[in-house]
Amino acid sequence: MNQTITAERRTIWVDVEDFFKYFEANPRPSGIQRLVFETLKVLPAQAAAHPGSPRIAFVRHSADDALLREVTFDNLAALFDVHSRAASVAVKARARTKPLRTRRPPMKAGLRHLAIRTIERLPPEVADVLLQAGVLQIAALRQFKRLLRRHPVQTAESPAPPEPVEVKGGKVVEAVVEAPALAATSADLPVRPGEPLLIMGAPWANENYGNRLARFRAKYRLEPALLLYDLIPVRRPEWCDARLVQDFTDWLESTLPQCKQLMAISRATAADVEAYARECSLKLSGPVVPVPIGTDFGVPTPTADAGPGPGLPAPGSYILFVSTMEARKNHAVLFRVWRRLLSEMPPDRVPTLVFAGRVGWLISDLLQQLENTDWLGGKVRMIRDPTDTELNALYDGCQFTIFPSLFEGWGLPVSESLGRGRPCLASNRTSLPESGGTLARYFDPENLDDAVRAVRDIIEDPAGLAAWQAQVAREYRHVPWGRTAEALIAACLPDAETALAQAAQ
């Protein structure tokens, strides 16, 4: 019986090309890369416990996009580690009320690196114009790079490593971190017709991904299984770059019909994908399956005597908003909320609002308003690009977190806050009520009166806040990444249990 089952053992091929491509242009992982990496870490072990014990194999695209090449998880882990460490070695002095003007880790050598560093020092009204020109230049450079990649002599398998910033002797210097080289593998994959190709990253950034997928399907007879995060570029294009909107739309319409199985990171996203397919007359193979999202990112246990760290606010004095600063995340409503609170309450009773994250796009007007008001007299602060250590300290020291986003595929900051034992006041839109469940509290992010009421109710009731925090600490249960992996495997191999039972007879 065991020999029959082993002979029928199937492979789940996992497309990780976008994971490597992402780090060619970005110095640190975003939420998608974190989610993908945590899932891939446990995917092989979870597969071993699944009926039929499918094998997990990771693949990249060949230089001419005609073949798939197998790589090892060690390749992914080393790359992720390099960029995670690169992001954490920057030790930066903190300004009290304004965004930091210190240098950020360079994204890449060459013109883009120099341009971004220069533009960041300019006033927002000047920076916006230059950034528009820069977008066109970057697009041209990317097209030139793609031409070079197609030449076999010029092609390199491994991405260039980032150059993180560290402080030695009080000076900012460049530190070189070696990136891992990809192991050479055979292009002849032992693919059985009908085996799944799991796609769970951000492949829309890869040009003509739909055409590539069609070639792989024709050559290997694989059946794609796609994990979707959100449809923001097509649902709310006003929050995105025009090129992203076009690329995402092309990817969506060329890829969805090719997939045998579609999955989503929330019920809200699953319903949105199905609605979009109906609106665009895209034929889907079946319902979009929501999968549970893991919540445990290995947060260290806080120490009782740990201080706030250099330049960070005093513990208990602030409310924390962790997010890239962009229009969709809705920092603007919190600026108006805090302005109202300061006009209605004694200033010493209004906690500081701390923005922690990267400065993104479409927020020039907001930054100018903050500058004009001296960041509301210091009641709003920006901790730019916090390291992991700084972020841990910020979570440990905040009264509670707030997340007013207008549209999310899941809402990692909400579940992350609860997982760290901190209550979260969140927007009531899209998937966020799924992420926060019954332990978070919610408000209408487009209703200023409701937002002011929700914040004021909490800060004026310290006993209630303490009880809420105790409830979060007592009742919150992490979702293990194994559950995410198991759901993906079950969706990729829905007939595994049936096949195993037949093989055992």
Side-chain angles (χ1 to χ4, degrees):
M1 179 177 69
N2 288 338
Q3 290 180 347
T4 303
I5 296 173
T6 301
E8 296 299 322
R9 186 185 187 197
R10 301 171 70 184
T11 297
I12 298 176
W13 303 90
V14 185
D15 187 350
V16 294
E17 179 68 17
D18 69 281
F19 191 86
F20 288 86
K21 292 301 182 184
Y22 173 85
F23 287 117
E24 288 186 8
N26 296 278
R28 63 187 301 173
S30 72
I32 289 180
Q33 285 71 44
R34 292 169 67 203
L35 185 155
V36 169
F37 183 72
E38 294 294 335
T39 305
L40 295 186
K41 276 200 306 187
V42 299
L43 194 62
Q46 201 67 39
H50 194 80
S53 300
R55 184 174 81 94
I56 302 297
F58 307 103
V59 291
R60 289 195 62 182
H61 305 178
S62 63
D64 59 0
D65 298 327
L67 299 172
L68 293 172
R69 296 180 180 272
E70 188 171 351
V71 296
T72 69
F73 178 75
D74 288 344
N75 297 140
L76 283 79
L79 182 68
F80 190 86
D81 181 63
V82 163
H83 286 267
S84 297
R85 286 189 290 114
S88 65
V89 296
V91 181
K92 298 167 284 189
R94 301 299 182 188
R96 228 166 45 143
T97 60
K98 298 184 179 181
L100 296 176
R101 302 296 184 186
T102 51
R103 187 173 59 178
R104 300 161 71 184
M107 293 173 63
K108 206 169 186 180
L111 290 175
R112 179 165 51 178
H113 165 54
L114 179 60
I116 289 175
R117 287 177 55 196
T118 303
I119 290 172
E120 283 184 333
R121 294 179 170 86
L122 298 175
E125 64 273 14
V126 179
D128 280 351
V129 176
L130 292 179
L131 281 172
Q132 291 298 321
V135 167
L136 296 177
Q137 182 179 13
I138 290 170
L141 291 173
R142 284 176 176 168
Q143 292 293 337
F144 183 63
K145 177 184 172 184
R146 289 180 182 118
L147 290 176
L148 291 180
R149 277 209 313 267
R150 289 181 171 86
H151 195 289
V153 176
Q154 299 290 335
T155 299
E157 289 281 4
S158 57
E163 298 173 349
V165 179
E166 61 182 4
V167 176
K168 294 183 178 178
K171 297 182 179 179
V172 179
V173 298
E174 300 297 333
V176 178
V177 179
E178 293 296 329
L182 280 177
T185 58
S186 171
D188 298 324
L189 298 180
V191 179
R192 294 180 182 180
E195 287 184 326
L197 176 66
L198 176 58
I199 308 161
M200 56 177 301
W204 56 84
N206 295 349
E207 186 182 26
N208 295 324
Y209 185 84
N211 292 336
R212 299 184 195 184
L213 186 59
R215 288 197 294 271
F216 297 148
R217 290 179 64 215
K219 178 176 179 58
Y220 299 106
R221 297 175 64 185
L222 289 162
E223 294 182 341
L226 174 66
L227 178 65
L228 292 139
Y229 294 85
D230 60 65
L231 299 186
I232 293 169
V234 294
R235 287 308 198 193
R236 300 299 296 267
E238 65 269 28
W239 294 326
C240 304
D241 176 79
R243 177 64 184 271
L244 171 61
V245 173
Q246 186 61 57
D247 289 348
F248 190 89
T249 303
D250 292 345
W251 167 78
L252 201 62
E253 295 182 356
S254 64
T255 302
L256 290 189
Q258 299 192 61
C259 296
K260 182 178 181 180
Q261 180 64 65
L262 294 174
M263 300 154 286
I265 62 172
S266 65
R267 294 189 300 275
T269 295
D272 201 18
V273 172
E274 292 177 354
Y276 179 81
R278 289 192 298 270
E279 294 164 14
C280 298
S281 300
L282 298 176
K283 185 177 180 180
L284 304 184
S285 59
V288 182
V289 179
V291 300
I293 299 302
T295 59
D296 188 358
F297 287 96
V299 180
T301 303
T303 56
D305 57 349
L312 299 186
S317 68
Y318 61 93
I319 297 168
L320 179 64
F321 179 14
V322 178
S323 171
T324 296
M325 199 172 187
E326 57 174 290
R328 171 174 62 92
K329 301 295 185 177
N330 207 17
H331 291 71
V333 75
L334 295 189
F335 170 75
R336 295 194 293 273
V337 167
W338 253 252
R339 190 173 185 84
R340 275 269 298 271
L341 292 175
L342 289 168
S343 69
E344 297 174 357
M345 301 172 61
D348 61 347
R349 292 178 53 196
V350 178
T352 300
L353 172 64
V354 173
F355 298 152
R358 285 177 281 183
V359 174
W361 45 94
L362 301 178
I363 45 88
S364 295
D365 288 349
L366 173 61
L367 288 175
Q368 189 64 60
Q369 293 169 38
L370 287 164
E371 291 285 352
N372 291 349
T373 60
D374 193 27
W375 292 69
L376 293 181
K379 281 296 183 178
V380 180
R381 289 190 54 178
M382 178 75 186
I383 305 298
R384 185 167 173 174
D385 291 329
T387 65
D388 289 344
T389 299
E390 291 167 335
L391 191 58
N392 290 334
L394 287 169
Y395 271 116
D396 291 343
C398 71
Q399 294 183 17
F400 61 95
T401 67
I402 189 165
F403 196 67
S405 179
L406 296 166
F407 199 124
E408 293 294 323
W410 171 245
L412 279 178
V414 177
S415 56
E416 191 169 57
S417 174
L418 298 174
R420 293 168 184 257
R422 287 294 177 267
C424 182
L425 176 63
S427 159
N428 62 6
R429 299 301 171 88
T430 59
S431 65
L432 292 175
E434 293 180 57
S435 181
T438 60
L439 291 177
R441 297 180 185 175
Y442 303 96
F443 66 97
D444 183 345
E446 295 185 284
N447 184 321
L448 181 61
D449 291 336
D450 190 47
V452 171
R453 174 203 57 76
V455 174
R456 187 163 182 170
D457 284 351
I458 298 172
I459 63 179
E460 291 188 324
D461 183 14
L465 175 58
W468 183 18
Q469 181 171 333
Q471 180 190 15
V472 170
R474 182 176 63 252
E475 298 181 10
Y476 186 78
R477 297 293 180 268
H478 277 291
V479 176
W481 289 102
R483 282 185 57 192
T484 306
E486 171 58 30
L488 293 173
I489 295 168
C492 288
L493 301 174
D495 59 340
E497 294 186 15
T498 300
L500 184 63
Q502 293 174 346
Q505 292 175 355

